[in-house]
């Protein structure tokens, strides 16, 4: 490992020149996924002179990703790579005096993520914790002497000499979760770590989960989120904001009582008198939650909702330095913006407009603001937000962007047959010629509580480079259009969403861009589920890809992680058998499907278990409909190995090309660098 000294790796970042005059840009290839860098997690130093952030790169030879910490000067003239170890570093934070840059990493530890400190005056980073349980979250105290940690209970050590596997003992209502696996009784608690003595003390023991600690300005209190309902906490979609005095033995004090999620991250007002937090929807709408900005007195009292009339999902609240306003992020119809509202309430102000997605935000006491931002043609980078202007600070993808030709992404809207107006994105193929029809891919986002938006999508660009028009539809159930729009599909899956999706396809055909005889469909997670619903509804699609989907919804009860949603939204199968059968219509009407369909999934997926794809694969195979099943070993809901992500993209292109471009006989392209 190279020394983590700042000075030797100081570099001046200049704008990257585009290709030499006359050199044409090339279309994107699958192998470009190894060159694309992911930038995020901005944090501004207390003096406002530096912005730390993370850069994730992909190594095709080692088949892994690696995240390092970088920082750039506020004027953008200097950029420094802070860490360069082969292990990932994450969650950069500045000490309150600005002397240290801290981060989490599991290198040299082998016991989960530990806290590391890098002295800005020089030298290597030092690991300051050696805890048996890895750190999930951490926050510096205002005086810089202590750090609040979030860690899970440490399981009792058994007989280390006996390496035999042990039975998994389960007694929880919610007993499994993707990536975490089968759940035991271990919970996540708050701890206090003293930097001088290197000692750790538990702050919130007990049978509850705590998260998102935030110190009060005077360092006396910590606000946090916890689920502490009476009875079995697994059977409740309720969480509240608590405060606790920052010393062992104290009892948390509940500040919120809404019967639903009251969530952090929270933000203290500069004078410590109030706390901004996020209040969600009613508890039963667990899959369609929309968070609003709320403020509650830190001493206790009635909360005030500030963004009820905005009717858009809120995130990342923080007070301005004078305490008179609150800055936050909000999702709005295919974009995501920075918003600002007076702490007393009123109209929401939007400092910067445009069709883009602001993914993260950082602020200093003097009001400086840095954000992570992306557009359809710009991968996420770090920007300074000055007044109403974004000034780019990081340039991690400039070289790559100078080489490739990107597609044109446009907003579209259309009406479904029941009158609903749906919105979406239409990506024209690279080299688009007006008046020419192209094969169209309807690619469906997951969630359903998400949205397709004006952020960079490698998948969309890859398909456009291969000659496809790509349509994304924010069907009912998506966010960004208001709470009622999200909740419209409550206990009624696969009906309204399919209407909206097909309306989008009809629109693309009507404007002359989509060839009605060459239509493809596909998605992952709820996008895979909606693919199954749609191909069981219509035979107009000539190729489909259902990733991590399900159709026999009844078989998901007890197999996946959504037991609370099933019991509260649909009802237990022994009480709502007819409803479960209705929601499972793609499987029970599999004999209506004629679309050649590729099914995919990870064999360790507890979110949407691969059995969902296996069942539909078996049904279509039994019916002699062209089909194939791809199972990725040791993978959860999201594929973690770069080679598997490469393989998935390659299979996407090959499957669509086979059925939508038969004359061209195109093979999936792209080679590893």
């Amino acid at each position: 490992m190279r020394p983590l000294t700042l000075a030797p790796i100081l570099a001046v970042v200049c704008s990257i020149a585009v290709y030499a005059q006359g050199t044409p840009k090339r279309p994107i290839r699958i192998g470009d996924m190894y060159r694309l860098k992911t930038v995020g997690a901005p944090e501004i130093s207390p003096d406002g002179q530096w912005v730390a952030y993370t850069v994730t790169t992909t190594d095709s030879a080692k088949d892994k990703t690696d995240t390092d910490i970088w920082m750039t000067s506020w004027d953008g003239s200097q950029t420094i790579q802070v860490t360069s170890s082969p292990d990932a570093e994450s969650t950069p934070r500045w000490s309150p005096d600005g002397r240290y840059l801290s981060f989490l990493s599991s290198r040299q530890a082998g016991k989960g993520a530990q806290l590391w400190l890098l002295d800005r005056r020089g030298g290597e980073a030092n690991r300051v914790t050696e805890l048996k349980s890895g750190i999930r979250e951490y926050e510096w105290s205002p005086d810089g002497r202590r750090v609040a940690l979030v860690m899970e209970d440490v399981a009792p050590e058994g007989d280390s000499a006996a390496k035999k596997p042990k039975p998994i003992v389960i007694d929880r209502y919610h007993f499994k979760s993707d990536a975490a696996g089968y759940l035991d009784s271990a919970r996540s608690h708050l701890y206090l770590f003293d930097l001088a003595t290197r000692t750790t003390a538990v702050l919130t023991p007990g049978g509850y989960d705590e998260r998102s600690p935030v110190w009060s300005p005077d360092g006396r209190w910590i606000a946090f989120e916890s689920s502490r309902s009476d009875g079995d906490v697994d059977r409740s979609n309720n969480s509240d904001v608590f405060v606790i005095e920052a010393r062992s033995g104290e009892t948390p004090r509940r500040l919120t009582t809404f019967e639903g999620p009251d969530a952090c991250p929270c933000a203290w007002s500069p004078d410590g008198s109030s706390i901004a937090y996020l209040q969600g929807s009613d508890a039963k709408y667990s899959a369609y939650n929309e968070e609003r900005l709320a403020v509650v007195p830190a001493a206790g009292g009635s909360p005030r909702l500030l963004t009820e009339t905005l009717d858009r999902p809120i995130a990342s609240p923080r007070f301005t330095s004078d305490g008179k306003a609150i800055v936050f992020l909000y999702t709005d119809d295919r974009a995501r913006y920075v918003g600002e509202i007076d702490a007393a309430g009123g109209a929401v102000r939007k400092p910067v407009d445009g069709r883009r997605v602001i993914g993260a935000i950082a602020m200093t006491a003097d009001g400086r603001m840095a954000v992570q931002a992306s557009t359809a043609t710009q991968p996420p980078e770090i920007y300074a937000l000055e007044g109403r202007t974004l000034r780019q600070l990081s340039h991690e993808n400039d070289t790559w962007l100078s080489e490739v030709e990107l597609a044109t992404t446009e907003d579209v809207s259309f009406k479904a047959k029941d009158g609903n107006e749906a919105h979406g994105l239409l990506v024209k193929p690279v080299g688009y010629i007006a008046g020419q029809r192209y094969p169209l891919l309807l690619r469906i986002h997951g969630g359903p509580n998400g949205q397709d938006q004006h952020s960079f999508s490698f998948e969309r660009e890859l398909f456009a480079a291969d000659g496809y028009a790509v349509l994304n539809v924010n069907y009912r159930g998506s966010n960004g259009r208001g709470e009622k729009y999200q909740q419209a599909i409550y206990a009624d899956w696969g009906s309204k969403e399919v209407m909206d999706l097909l309306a989008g396809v009809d629109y693309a055909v009507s404007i002359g861009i989509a060839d009605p005889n060459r239509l493809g469909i596909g998605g992952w997670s709820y996008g895979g589920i909606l693919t199954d619903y749609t191909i069981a509804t219509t035979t107009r699609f000539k190729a489909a890809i259902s990733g991590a989907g399900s159709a026999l919804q009844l078989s998901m009860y007890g197999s996946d992680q959504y037991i609370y949603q099933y019991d509260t939204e649909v009802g237990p199968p022994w009480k709502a058998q007819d409803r479960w059968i209705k929601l499972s219509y793609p499987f029970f009407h599999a004999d209506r499907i004629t679309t050649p369909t590729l099914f995919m999934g990870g064999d360790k997926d507890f979110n949407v278990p691969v059995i969902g794809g296996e069942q539909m694969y078996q049904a279509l195979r039994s019916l002699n409909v062209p089909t194939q099943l791809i199972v990725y070993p040791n993978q959860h809901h999201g594929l973690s190995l770069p080679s598997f992500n490469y393989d998935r993209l390659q299979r996407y292109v090959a499957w669509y090309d086979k059925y939508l471009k038969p004359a061209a006989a195109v093979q999936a392209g792209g080679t590893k660098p």
Side-chain angles (χ1 to χ4, degrees), residues 92-417:
R93 296 284 189 273
W94 299 92
S95 62
D97 61 4
R99 175 178 173 181
Y100 296 102
L101 181 60
S102 59
F103 57 88
L104 296 179
S105 178
S106 59
R107 54 185 162 118
Q108 300 181 11
K111 299 177 181 178
Q114 302 294 322
L115 181 64
W116 292 68
L117 294 186
L118 178 66
D119 194 325
R120 291 179 63 194
R121 297 173 301 178
E124 298 184 24
N126 294 307
R127 186 178 68 201
V128 296
T129 63
E130 296 187 27
L131 304 167
K132 292 183 178 180
S133 180
I135 300 170
R136 294 186 174 184
E137 302 176 67
Y138 75 99
E139 287 293 330
W140 286 85
S141 66
D143 62 8
R145 297 178 180 179
R146 294 179 295 173
V147 180
L149 310 176
V150 177
M151 297 188 297
E152 190 175 89
D153 294 329
V154 178
E157 294 186 5
D159 184 359
S160 59
K163 299 294 184 180
K164 297 179 181 179
K166 297 180 180 180
I168 300 173
V169 179
I170 295 171
D171 58 7
R172 287 180 58 173
Y173 170 74
H174 176 211
F175 70 94
K176 62 198 312 186
S177 185
D178 192 45
Y182 289 103
L183 303 178
D184 54 25
S185 59
R187 299 288 182 173
S188 295
H189 301 299
L190 302 186
Y191 292 78
L192 290 177
F193 177 72
D194 187 288
L195 284 161
T197 63
R198 303 291 174 95
T199 56
T200 307
V202 64
L203 186 61
T204 59
Y208 308 104
D209 287 309
E210 282 85 40
R211 50 199 166 271
S212 304
V214 183
W215 292 82
S216 62
D218 62 6
R220 180 182 175 185
W221 303 90
I222 296 176
F224 62 95
E225 177 189 348
S226 183
S227 301
R228 296 184 174 226
S229 303
D230 294 335
D232 187 349
V233 295
D234 284 348
R235 295 177 182 268
S236 170
N237 180 33
N238 180 72
S239 61
D240 288 295
V241 177
F242 292 77
V243 292
I244 188 171
E245 196 163 358
R247 57 183 183 180
S248 296
E250 297 297 320
T251 301
R253 177 164 47 87
R254 187 194 307 261
L255 294 183
T256 63
T257 57
F258 171 68
E259 287 300 322
D262 287 320
C264 292
C266 305
W268 290 81
S269 61
D271 63 3
S273 65
S274 58
I275 297 173
Y277 68 99
L278 305 174
Q279 184 183 102
S281 304
D282 289 345
K284 68 177 183 178
Y285 293 116
S286 59
Y288 318 98
N289 185 49
E290 180 179 283
E291 293 176 320
R292 303 168 180 82
L293 178 64
V295 174
V296 65
S302 299
R304 291 180 295 113
L305 290 177
L306 300 186
T307 59
E308 199 164 15
T309 59
L310 179 63
D311 195 18
R312 292 293 186 267
I314 305 298
S316 305
R318 57 205 66 209
F319 279 88
T320 55
S321 57
D322 60 9
K324 295 181 178 180
I326 302 173
V327 176
F328 53 90
L329 300 177
Y330 71 99
T331 300
D332 181 31
D333 194 13
R334 295 163 289 185
R336 198 171 191 229
Y337 302 107
V338 175
E340 184 179 50
I341 191 171
D342 290 342
V348 172
R349 301 178 291 275
K350 185 165 55 175
V352 60
D353 210 330
R355 307 305 281 163
R356 62 172 55 85
V357 170
I358 306 295
I361 184 172
M363 289 177 61
T364 60
D366 64 0
R368 286 195 174 185
M369 191 181 307
V371 300
Q372 177 215 51
S374 175
T375 68
T377 55
Q378 172 65 63
E381 296 282 0
I382 306 303
Y383 296 77
L385 177 53
E386 298 172 314
R388 301 184 63 85
T389 303
L390 287 171
R391 176 169 55 85
Q392 189 170 346
L393 294 177
S394 70
H395 298 266
E396 300 297 333
N397 290 293
D398 282 9
T399 300
W400 179 73
L401 285 172
S402 71
E403 301 171 3
V404 296
E405 184 177 5
L406 300 180
T408 300
T409 301
E410 301 175 352
D411 284 325
V412 292
S413 61
F414 33 82
K415 284 192 175 181
K417 65 180 182 180

Side-chain angles (χ1 to χ4, degrees), residues 18 23 55 86 166 203 293 321 332 427 444 498 550 597 624 640:
V18 297
T23 303
V55 178
K166 297 180 180 180
L203 186 61
L293 178 64
S321 57
D332 181 31
V427 182
I444 311 169
V498 173
S550 62
T597 305
N624 292 316
S640 59

Side-chain angles (χ1 to χ4, degrees), residues 497-652:
E497 311 100 296
V498 173
M499 281 189 233
D500 295 341
L501 294 171
L502 294 180
V505 174
D506 290 340
Y507 172 81
V509 172
S510 71
I511 63 173
I513 191 171
D515 183 343
N517 297 311
R518 292 190 293 168
L519 301 177
I521 187 173
W524 196 266
S525 192
Y526 200 72
I529 292 171
L530 286 182
T531 296
D532 294 344
Y533 277 124
T534 306
I535 61 175
T537 302
T538 178
T539 59
R540 68 191 300 185
F541 293 96
K542 300 300 186 290
I545 300 175
S546 177
S550 62
L552 181 53
Q553 309 304 352
L554 182 59
S555 68
M556 295 294 104
Y557 190 94
S559 298
D560 66 20
Q561 62 188 24
Y562 297 106
I563 185 61
Y564 176 85
Q565 180 188 357
Y566 294 154
D567 278 350
T568 56
E569 181 177 346
V570 185
W574 49 93
K575 291 184 178 181
Q577 181 177 344
D578 291 345
R579 183 178 292 169
W580 279 100
I581 297 298
K582 177 185 176 183
L583 297 179
S584 300
Y585 80 75
F587 183 81
F588 289 113
H589 295 299
D591 54 349
R592 300 178 182 177
I593 298 174
T594 61
T595 304
T597 305
L598 174 65
F599 297 96
M600 314 178 92
D603 70 346
K604 296 294 190 293
D605 189 348
F606 278 1
N607 188 316
V608 186
V610 72
I611 187 176
E614 291 173 339
Q615 290 165 340
M616 284 300 288
Y617 164 78
Q618 187 64 71
L620 295 197
R621 177 59 69 195
S622 297
L623 291 163
N624 292 316
V625 176
T627 186
Q628 193 174 63
L629 172 67
I630 308 299
V631 179
Y632 292 102
N634 298 312
Q635 296 297 289
H636 303 294
H637 195 59
L639 305 186
S640 59
L641 283 182
S643 60
F644 283 164
N645 281 299
Y646 183 99
D647 178 88
R648 176 170 57 180
L649 289 172
Q650 198 170 36
R651 293 181 188 277
Y652 282 175

